[in-house]
mmCIF file of all heavy atoms in Angstrom:
data_model
loop_
_atom_site.group_PDB
_atom_site.id
_atom_site.type_symbol
_atom_site.label_atom_id
_atom_site.label_comp_id
_atom_site.label_asym_id
_atom_site.label_seq_id
_atom_site.Cartn_x
_atom_site.Cartn_y
_atom_site.Cartn_z
ATOM 1 N N MET K 1 -4.766 -39.162 15.620
ATOM 2 C CA MET K 1 -4.936 -37.962 14.820
ATOM 3 C C MET K 1 -6.239 -37.279 15.236
ATOM 4 O O MET K 1 -7.268 -37.917 15.358
ATOM 5 C CB MET K 1 -4.962 -38.346 13.348
ATOM 6 C CG MET K 1 -5.019 -37.195 12.428
ATOM 7 S SD MET K 1 -4.717 -37.798 10.748
ATOM 8 C CE MET K 1 -4.889 -36.312 9.880
ATOM 9 N N THR K 10 -19.194 -22.724 14.305
ATOM 10 C CA THR K 10 -20.006 -23.246 15.418
ATOM 11 C C THR K 10 -19.123 -23.548 16.609
ATOM 12 O O THR K 10 -19.455 -23.237 17.740
ATOM 13 C CB THR K 10 -20.776 -24.509 14.968
ATOM 14 O OG1 THR K 10 -21.608 -24.164 13.871
ATOM 15 C CG2 THR K 10 -21.612 -25.055 16.098
ATOM 16 N N LEU K 20 -17.825 -17.500 28.285
ATOM 17 C CA LEU K 20 -18.681 -16.521 28.948
ATOM 18 C C LEU K 20 -19.268 -17.093 30.229
ATOM 19 O O LEU K 20 -19.330 -16.404 31.252
ATOM 20 C CB LEU K 20 -19.814 -16.070 28.036
ATOM 21 C CG LEU K 20 -19.490 -15.007 26.994
ATOM 22 C CD1 LEU K 20 -20.614 -14.894 25.982
ATOM 23 C CD2 LEU K 20 -19.224 -13.669 27.648
ATOM 24 N N VAL K 30 -30.255 -10.042 30.690
ATOM 25 C CA VAL K 30 -30.874 -8.904 31.396
ATOM 26 C C VAL K 30 -30.658 -7.626 30.598
ATOM 27 O O VAL K 30 -31.571 -6.837 30.417
ATOM 28 C CB VAL K 30 -30.292 -8.780 32.818
ATOM 29 C CG1 VAL K 30 -30.698 -7.467 33.466
ATOM 30 C CG2 VAL K 30 -30.725 -9.956 33.688
ATOM 31 N N ASP K 33 -32.937 -7.621 27.797
ATOM 32 C CA ASP K 33 -34.325 -7.862 28.169
ATOM 33 C C ASP K 33 -34.887 -9.069 27.424
ATOM 34 O O ASP K 33 -35.941 -9.030 26.787
ATOM 35 C CB ASP K 33 -35.196 -6.635 27.916
ATOM 36 C CG ASP K 33 -36.557 -6.738 28.576
ATOM 37 O OD1 ASP K 33 -36.663 -7.439 29.622
ATOM 38 O OD2 ASP K 33 -37.517 -6.141 28.061
ATOM 39 N N ALA K 37 -31.752 -18.105 26.050
ATOM 40 C CA ALA K 37 -31.669 -18.538 24.646
ATOM 41 C C ALA K 37 -31.434 -17.326 23.730
ATOM 42 O O ALA K 37 -30.637 -17.388 22.793
ATOM 43 C CB ALA K 37 -32.915 -19.302 24.240
ATOM 44 N N GLY K 38 -32.143 -16.240 24.001
ATOM 45 C CA GLY K 38 -31.960 -15.024 23.217
ATOM 46 C C GLY K 38 -30.571 -14.448 23.380
ATOM 47 O O GLY K 38 -29.962 -13.965 22.410
ATOM 48 N N THR K 59 -21.477 -6.234 7.443
ATOM 49 C CA THR K 59 -20.830 -5.120 8.118
ATOM 50 C C THR K 59 -20.272 -4.176 7.062
ATOM 51 O O THR K 59 -19.912 -4.602 5.962
ATOM 52 C CB THR K 59 -19.685 -5.600 9.045
ATOM 53 O OG1 THR K 59 -18.765 -6.349 8.284
ATOM 54 C CG2 THR K 59 -20.217 -6.423 10.191
ATOM 55 N N THR K 70 -11.395 -20.582 10.790
ATOM 56 C CA THR K 70 -10.974 -21.807 10.115
ATOM 57 C C THR K 70 -9.519 -22.133 10.416
ATOM 58 O O THR K 70 -9.058 -23.201 10.058
ATOM 59 C CB THR K 70 -11.156 -21.683 8.599
ATOM 60 O OG1 THR K 70 -10.370 -20.601 8.114
ATOM 61 C CG2 THR K 70 -12.609 -21.471 8.237
ATOM 62 N N GLY K 73 -5.751 -21.317 15.104
ATOM 63 C CA GLY K 73 -5.565 -20.294 16.107
ATOM 64 C C GLY K 73 -4.410 -19.392 15.704
ATOM 65 O O GLY K 73 -3.692 -19.669 14.754
ATOM 66 N N VAL K 91 -19.697 -3.562 13.802
ATOM 67 C CA VAL K 91 -20.277 -4.883 14.053
ATOM 68 C C VAL K 91 -21.558 -4.735 14.865
ATOM 69 O O VAL K 91 -22.568 -5.353 14.552
ATOM 70 C CB VAL K 91 -19.254 -5.814 14.753
ATOM 71 C CG1 VAL K 91 -19.929 -7.061 15.304
ATOM 72 C CG2 VAL K 91 -18.136 -6.186 13.783
ATOM 73 N N ALA K 119 -9.795 -14.171 24.147
ATOM 74 C CA ALA K 119 -9.336 -15.194 25.096
ATOM 75 C C ALA K 119 -9.463 -16.578 24.472
ATOM 76 O O ALA K 119 -8.533 -17.400 24.605
ATOM 77 C CB ALA K 119 -10.167 -15.114 26.383
ATOM 78 N N LEU K 121 -9.438 -17.338 21.239
ATOM 79 C CA LEU K 121 -8.441 -17.460 20.191
ATOM 80 C C LEU K 121 -7.027 -17.647 20.757
ATOM 81 O O LEU K 121 -6.236 -18.389 20.215
ATOM 82 C CB LEU K 121 -8.506 -16.256 19.255
ATOM 83 C CG LEU K 121 -9.789 -16.135 18.429
ATOM 84 C CD1 LEU K 121 -9.802 -14.836 17.652
ATOM 85 C CD2 LEU K 121 -9.950 -17.322 17.494
ATOM 86 N N LYS K 123 -6.337 -19.079 23.650
ATOM 87 C CA LYS K 123 -6.282 -20.453 24.141
ATOM 88 C C LYS K 123 -6.086 -21.425 22.985
ATOM 89 O O LYS K 123 -5.320 -22.385 23.089
ATOM 90 C CB LYS K 123 -7.553 -20.810 24.908
ATOM 91 C CG LYS K 123 -7.610 -20.193 26.281
ATOM 92 C CD LYS K 123 -8.876 -20.590 27.000
ATOM 93 C CE LYS K 123 -8.938 -19.950 28.361
ATOM 94 N NZ LYS K 123 -10.159 -20.324 29.089
ATOM 95 N N ARG K 124 -6.763 -21.177 21.876
ATOM 96 C CA ARG K 124 -6.608 -22.052 20.708
ATOM 97 C C ARG K 124 -5.176 -21.986 20.172
ATOM 98 O O ARG K 124 -4.610 -22.990 19.799
ATOM 99 C CB ARG K 124 -7.571 -21.651 19.598
ATOM 100 C CG ARG K 124 -8.995 -22.056 19.855
ATOM 101 C CD ARG K 124 -9.876 -21.639 18.713
ATOM 102 N NE ARG K 124 -11.208 -22.212 18.841
ATOM 103 C CZ ARG K 124 -12.093 -22.245 17.870
ATOM 104 N NH1 ARG K 124 -11.785 -21.739 16.694
ATOM 105 N NH2 ARG K 124 -13.278 -22.766 18.060
#
Side-chain angles (χ1 to χ4, degrees):
M1 185 169 178
T10 300
L20 279 168
V30 169
D33 193 28
T59 57
T70 60
V91 167
L121 293 174
K123 285 180 181 180
R124 284 181 171 195

